[in-house]
Amino acid sequence: MTEGASLSAPYTLEFPFERTVGPKIGTFFAGLKERRLFGARAERGVVCPPLEFDPDTGAETGELVELAPAGTVATWTWARSRAGDPVARDFAWALVAIDGTAGSFFHAVDVGGDPSRMQVGMRVRVRWRGDRVGDLRDIECFEVAP
Amino acid sequence: MRDVAVVSFAQSPCEAANRRDDMAGILLPVIREALGAVGVDRDDVDFFASGSHDFFEGRTFAYIESLDAVGAWPPVSESHVEMDAAWAFAEAWSWLQLGEGDIALVYGIGRGSLAADLDQVLPAQLDPYFLAPLRPHRDALAGLQAAAMIDAGLTSERDLAEIVVRSLSAATGNPYAQKSGHLGVDQVLDAPYVSTPLREHDVAPVGDAAAVVVLAAGDAARRLGDRQAWVRGLDHRMDTHYPGVRNLTRSESTRVAAARAAELAGFGASEVDIAELHTEYSHAEPLLASALGLERTVVNPSGGPLAGRPVTATGLVRIGEAARRILDGRAGRALAHATNGPALQHNLVCLMSGEAAA
């Protein structure tokens, strides 16, 4: 082999497994398919998305609670859109505090590609995907609430 | 506790991409240098521990290739962690505490340059239900953390630029740094955003390098050199994974790990001369300094990770750089911090001293 040359081969990164997601996360995903949003009761309040275990105590979380699919932006960072991203133009990754919950939901916020429209405390709502399959991407992104 | 010390440290220069050498090729000269400095033969090592990620190589058990540089015949006692090699150091330290042997060699080898697109690779480390399906780009969660800190009034973009300027300037004295230079604050603030409020220089540059630390216990450590960097306290703790249920502006896991390490060491983080912190982003420095209670301590005299981030060796380099300053007499006490996981989820604190426990 000549100095500096190296072998290379095409490679596809994949995670070819199916998982059983359990009673809380499973119900949450099934809810998304029906355009319904659920959180789970924990010591600090309702957490959405629901976790199987309480982030503060480690105990099993409590019952699921249905929530309105809307909230407030707690923190955001601006991102350039790439192939496969939830929004096809530049957008914000954000932590959205869903109404009635303690904590926040990590997802994308679409403000038409204009970062000057992003603000902490702004009201947003879920934009549902048309063709839903029962996973996180059933939420296409959050959008500005009128 | 058994007295256990770092007796030697070596690293290879951090390169943006090393296409000449394979894993073993990068590692072998570094192992030779670290062992040669204390006159130890490879056969005298009782335990080898390493840290690396298969993610970067794109195949399972990728680290096996690095064992060519260790020499696995006749069979050796060996272990590997799928994380930063600072945790391999923690394992080796525990192993020596158990009295299983006297000399351990810890190595970290990272080839972050191998991935054609790290934004495709790094989300694979996130939870597969709520985070990985969105495939946030590699700096997104750090950007949120930095934004949360600025919103909370804990730092500013100018403060972060000053950290970058200080770090890259310190790195001009570090021949292993991937990036160094005397930049101006305004120059740093003119660089484009990577993930607001983080700009180009706020993000540690990923590179390829290996690091090796040799640990020895008691009399073996005293026999191997005139000075030792005694590991007086070590602990690591983890915050919960999902960023939405964490307070991203605080690092409770770092605080708890530091308190436990101080309890073991007999001195605290605020009493060290220098601290090497695993800051993959500039905003991690004020966050960690606050959690550790650092005030006047010199932070990252090597330049720190902002000057070069050999993936999965970066934390071990912090331990090595901190120990080196005790070994060469420039520091009496030193702290090393390492992190793993998104937005400083998992943190390790190691307190070292030129003096063994009384």
Side-chain angles (χ1 to χ4, degrees):
Chain A
M1 214 170 82
T2 52
E3 182 72 21
S6 62
L7 295 171
S8 66
Y11 185 79
T12 306
L13 188 80
E14 56 185 346
F15 191 70
F17 306 106
E18 290 197 1
R19 289 169 175 249
T20 306
V21 288
K24 302 273 164 48
I25 296 171
T27 309
F28 171 77
F29 284 142
L32 295 184
K33 201 171 173 182
E34 298 171 8
R35 299 165 66 114
R36 297 170 73 189
L37 189 66
F38 289 95
R41 286 199 195 283
E43 185 167 277
R44 65 172 71 184
V46 176
V47 292
C48 179
L51 302 177
E52 297 285 351
F53 298 97
D54 192 306
D56 298 304
T57 67
E60 251 185 79
T61 48
E63 61 172 349
L64 290 162
V65 179
E66 185 158 7
L67 301 160
T72 304
V73 169
T75 313
W76 61 277
T77 182
W78 193 248
R80 278 186 291 274
S81 182
R82 303 167 48 111
D85 277 345
V87 182
R89 53 191 166 220
D90 292 357
F91 65 98
W93 290 114
L95 291 171
V96 176
I98 302 295
D99 293 348
T101 67
S104 54
F105 194 143
F106 175 78
H107 217 296
V109 175
D110 180 12
V111 282
D114 178 6
S116 69
R117 292 178 63 199
M118 282 302 302
Q119 270 186 355
V120 170
M122 71 190 278
R123 298 287 301 159
V124 290
R125 66 179 180 194
V126 168
R127 181 191 296 163
W128 297 103
R129 182 173 300 282
D131 180 22
R132 291 179 304 283
V133 297
D135 72 23
L136 192 68
R137 302 283 295 250
D138 286 353
I139 294 177
E140 198 169 290
C141 61
F142 284 81
E143 61 187 12
V144 180
Chain B
M1 283 214 316
R2 210 174 169 208
D3 291 339
V4 171
V6 173
V7 294
S8 185
F9 167 60
Q11 60 186 317
S12 66
C14 191
E15 297 183 25
N18 182 339
R19 291 289 177 273
R20 297 180 311 277
D21 306 304
D22 64 9
M23 237 183 203
I26 296 174
L27 182 60
L28 184 60
V30 188
I31 287 185
R32 283 189 175 142
E33 185 188 338
L35 290 177
V38 282
V40 171
D41 191 82
R42 214 164 60 173
D43 297 339
D44 299 330
V45 176
D46 299 313
F47 184 55
F48 294 88
S50 62
S52 67
H53 263 318
D54 288 348
F55 290 109
F56 298 108
E57 305 278 331
R59 58 201 161 95
T60 51
F61 283 95
Y63 92 97
I64 295 294
E65 180 190 300
S66 71
L67 289 176
D68 286 350
V70 166
W73 185 266
V76 295
S77 186
E78 175 277 323
S79 182
H80 172 260
V81 296
E82 181 65 28
M83 53 201 311
D84 191 286
W87 275 266
F89 179 92
E91 181 179 348
W93 176 76
S94 307
W95 192 90
L96 291 169
Q97 287 299 334
L98 292 171
E100 301 280 351
D102 293 327
I103 300 177
L105 183 147
V106 183
Y107 67 89
I109 168 85
R111 293 200 294 168
S113 78
L114 282 182
D117 182 1
L118 278 178
D119 287 339
Q120 301 288 326
V121 175
L122 291 177
Q125 298 182 77
L126 300 172
D127 121 58
Y129 316 120
F130 295 147
L131 294 173
L134 294 169
R135 297 188 316 112
H137 66 82
R138 71 184 99 156
D139 304 312
L141 294 170
L144 285 178
Q145 186 169 41
M149 288 192 64
I150 289 179
D151 289 342
L154 298 170
T155 190
S156 67
E157 290 191 37
R158 181 157 285 271
D159 289 347
L160 298 184
E162 284 167 3
I163 288 166
V164 168
V165 167
R166 195 205 72 231
S167 299
L168 294 182
S169 177
T172 58
N174 178 356
Y176 302 98
Q178 179 178 330
K179 180 176 165 185
S180 63
H182 300 288
L183 277 64
V185 169
D186 291 325
Q187 191 183 352
V188 171
L189 287 171
D190 280 343
Y193 284 117
V194 172
S195 189
T196 56
L198 298 174
R199 298 170 186 273
E200 184 188 349
H201 303 290
D202 291 308
V203 181
V206 167
D208 299 350
V212 173
V213 166
V214 181
L215 278 165
D219 290 342
R222 293 182 181 89
R223 200 172 60 238
L224 293 176
D226 297 333
R227 282 183 66 84
Q228 297 79 23
W230 298 100
V231 179
R232 295 279 299 270
L234 185 150
D235 195 70
H236 59 100
R237 303 281 159 157
M238 211 186 297
D239 284 290
T240 196
H241 184 75
Y242 192 69
V245 291
R246 286 176 56 190
N247 177 347
L248 294 176
T249 67
R250 292 171 49 91
S251 182
E252 182 64 8
S253 55
T254 302
R255 190 191 66 75
V256 174
R260 177 61 183 147
E263 208 177 295
L264 295 170
F267 62 91
S270 61
E271 299 169 78
V272 300
D273 303 313
I274 68 114
E276 280 282 339
L277 307 181
H278 189 163
T279 51
E280 292 178 358
Y281 298 91
S282 57
H283 74 269
E285 186 177 306
L287 204 163
L288 292 167
S290 162
L292 294 165
L294 303 180
E295 282 168 15
R296 285 172 298 279
T297 311
V298 176
V299 172
N300 287 346
S302 70
L306 294 178
R309 178 189 169 196
V311 288
T312 65
T314 312
L316 186 65
V317 171
R318 308 280 70 77
I319 294 172
E321 287 285 1
R324 195 160 66 81
R325 283 167 175 77
I326 293 174
L327 291 173
D328 66 19
R330 278 179 290 170
R333 287 170 172 174
L335 177 150
H337 158 269
T339 194
N340 214 75
L344 294 166
Q345 187 199 352
H346 189 177
N347 295 284
L348 179 150
V349 175
C350 175
L351 291 167
M352 290 176 279
S353 169
E355 291 174 8

